[in-house]
Amino acid sequence: QLRDFYIQEAVTYMEQNFQRDLTVEEVADVCKLNRSYFSKLFKENMGCPPQEFLIRLRLSKATELMRTTMLPIGEISVQCGYPNQLHFSRAFKKRYGAAPREWRVQNKR
């Protein structure tokens, strides 16, 4: 189905570009869809808005890096699309209930 194709294309694009400043408009453009229609379609298919999906994706990649590397939190923040470490820490704590440093100590492999 065509809508599945659009969603898959959007998800793939986000997975390949999450490190940089990515907007919903840009992802919608890649799929050649109007932003509001794209957002509606995405939410219907994925259960959350594209912006939320992108945040989850970035934070999930951050947990992976915290578990598997010794990179400083600031570096992980930048690599996961958060040039501002404070924004990263806030988003991380909201999602996981702990600050990145605490989370890392509790979840180190």
Side-chain angles (χ1 to χ4, degrees):
Q1 197 176 359
L2 196 55
R3 21 172 69 197
D4 295 339
F5 171 78
Y6 287 132
I7 299 307
Q8 190 51 57
E9 189 158 323
V11 168
T12 301
Y13 188 78
M14 284 192 240
E15 285 172 343
Q16 291 169 346
N17 295 281
F18 71 90
Q19 312 86 333
R20 57 185 191 72
D21 189 21
L22 196 56
T23 64
V24 175
E25 284 84 359
E26 183 182 335
V27 180
D29 283 350
V30 165
C31 296
K32 295 176 181 45
L33 295 173
N34 158 306
R35 183 197 189 281
S36 58
Y37 178 69
F38 166 73
S39 292
K40 180 180 175 289
L41 199 64
F42 193 94
K43 188 172 182 176
E44 283 171 8
N45 279 265
M46 300 298 287
C48 68
Q51 194 56 43
E52 178 65 25
F53 179 85
L54 186 58
I55 290 168
R56 290 179 190 175
L57 175 65
R58 285 175 167 158
L59 295 177
S60 166
K61 298 288 184 186
T63 62
E64 216 174 283
L65 287 170
M66 283 192 261
R67 270 198 195 106
T68 59
T69 73
M70 291 304 296
L71 287 170
I73 301 293
E75 178 62 29
I76 290 172
S77 166
V78 170
Q79 281 193 26
C80 293
Y82 285 93
N84 181 322
Q85 194 177 337
L86 184 63
H87 290 167
F88 170 71
S89 292
R90 269 198 210 120
F92 193 93
K93 188 163 187 164
K94 186 177 172 191
R95 177 101 178 110
Y96 294 104
R101 281 183 178 75
E102 293 168 40
W103 188 94
R104 185 180 229 173
V105 169
Q106 294 162 1
N107 294 277
K108 198 74 184 140
R109 281 205 181 125

